[in-house]
Amino acid sequence: MKFAIAVFGAPYSSQASLSALHFAQAVTLAKHELYRVFFYHDGVLNGNNLMVPPQDELNLQNAWVEFAATSKSELVVCIASALRRGMLNAEETRRYEKTASSLDPAFIISGLGQLIDAGLQADRLVTFN
Amino acid sequence: MAMKKFLFVQTQPPHGSINGQEGLDAVLMGSAFTECAVLFLDDGIYQILSDQQTGPLNSKDYSVTYLALADYGVNNIYCCQTHLNERSLSTKDLILPVQALPEASIRRLFDEYDVILSF
């Protein structure tokens, strides 16, 4: 089956991000296809490479990057949600003349159309709120 | 394959969180791709209350953007009659024409749509 995942919840503040990561891992482990992971709302904060959680806790941003690398999955953040919350990649940092970029390069910045496309293409779009 | 139909469900009141506003953005984007409908449940109904005065909140009055839905070809807009009643509201208090449905019909609505995105 072809799955797509939408993550709406902020990392750590709610269980949404961790549950989404576990679900994504289960999808690929069971040899299903993962079409895309789309981050919307506070979910875009999962791409924050400035997060420094305590050492005995999971670094969610690292975990997503590792998952994407091993599973060859696509991680996409909504540009409007990301900019509003200060999630900028190198290109956006230059565009808005900011001093630091915050979005890990493993996360692609794109538009909301990618969420709609995920709903159209996948057999199941699963939302974590 | 027939195009999938999307149902966007708005459940949160406006201004207290950005969920509704970003949900509406998703509806507008969805309408560019396929047939979309919007369902207002619970406090989500407050998003389309007429005459919102958001100035003192420094919050954008995005309720007027709902008026553009018809131009985007989104003509199926629903809410729950029970949830209106619970808030002493009627469809006359809302900024745009909405079909108020009994709970049983809302259940059927969920069956009718292929993709449901809840905000």
Side-chain angles (χ1 to χ4, degrees), chain B residues 19-34:
Chain B
N19 282 37
Q21 193 182 336
E22 288 190 335
L24 176 57
D25 287 343
V27 179
L28 297 175
M29 179 57 74
S31 68
F33 287 77
T34 187

Side-chain angles (χ1 to χ4, degrees), chain A residues 8 40-41 80-81 84-85 112-113 115-117 119-123 125 127 129, chain B residues 1 3-4 6 8 18-19 21-23 25-26 29-30 33-34 115 117-119:
Chain A
F8 292 170
Y40 194 42
H41 286 315
S81 288
R84 196 179 256 141
R85 292 167 177 83
L112 252 183
L115 173 64
I116 307 301
D117 174 67
L120 290 172
Q121 300 299 329
D123 299 312
L125 170 62
T127 304
N129 209 342
Chain B
M1 192 184 78
M3 264 314 224
K4 289 185 187 173
F6 280 53
F8 294 88
I18 201 165
N19 282 37
Q21 193 182 336
E22 288 190 335
D25 287 343
M29 179 57 74
F33 287 77
T34 187
V115 179
L117 280 170
S118 187
F119 291 97

Side-chain angles (χ1 to χ4, degrees), chain A residues 15-32:
Chain A
Q15 197 187 319
S17 305
L18 190 54
S19 294
L21 176 67
H22 287 160
F23 186 81
Q25 289 166 337
V27 164
T28 54
L29 205 65
K31 308 278 184 227
H32 292 297

Side-chain angles (χ1 to χ4, degrees), chain B residues 6-22:
Chain B
F6 280 53
L7 178 66
F8 294 88
V9 187
Q10 291 281 26
T11 65
Q12 303 287 317
H15 315 304
S17 78
I18 201 165
N19 282 37
Q21 193 182 336
E22 288 190 335

Side-chain angles (χ1 to χ4, degrees), chain B residues 66-94:
Chain B
Y66 278 108
L67 296 173
L69 283 181
D71 297 332
Y72 282 80
V74 182
N75 298 308
N76 291 320
I77 301 170
Y78 309 100
C79 73
C80 176
Q81 181 65 55
T82 309
H83 296 172
L84 274 179
N85 297 347
E86 284 168 356
R87 288 159 184 80
S88 299
L89 293 171
S90 83
T91 51
K92 286 197 279 294
D93 299 308
L94 306 177

Side-chain angles (χ1 to χ4, degrees), chain B residues 39-90:
Chain B
L39 168 65
F40 294 90
L41 294 180
D42 300 313
D43 283 348
I45 290 170
Y46 288 123
Q47 289 187 36
I48 47 169
L49 205 58
S50 294
D51 298 323
Q52 294 183 28
Q53 309 288 330
T54 61
L57 290 174
N58 269 336
S59 182
K60 188 154 105 182
D61 180 11
Y62 67 92
S63 67
V64 292
T65 310
Y66 278 108
L67 296 173
L69 283 181
D71 297 332
Y72 282 80
V74 182
N75 298 308
N76 291 320
I77 301 170
Y78 309 100
C79 73
C80 176
Q81 181 65 55
T82 309
H83 296 172
L84 274 179
N85 297 347
E86 284 168 356
R87 288 159 184 80
S88 299
L89 293 171
S90 83

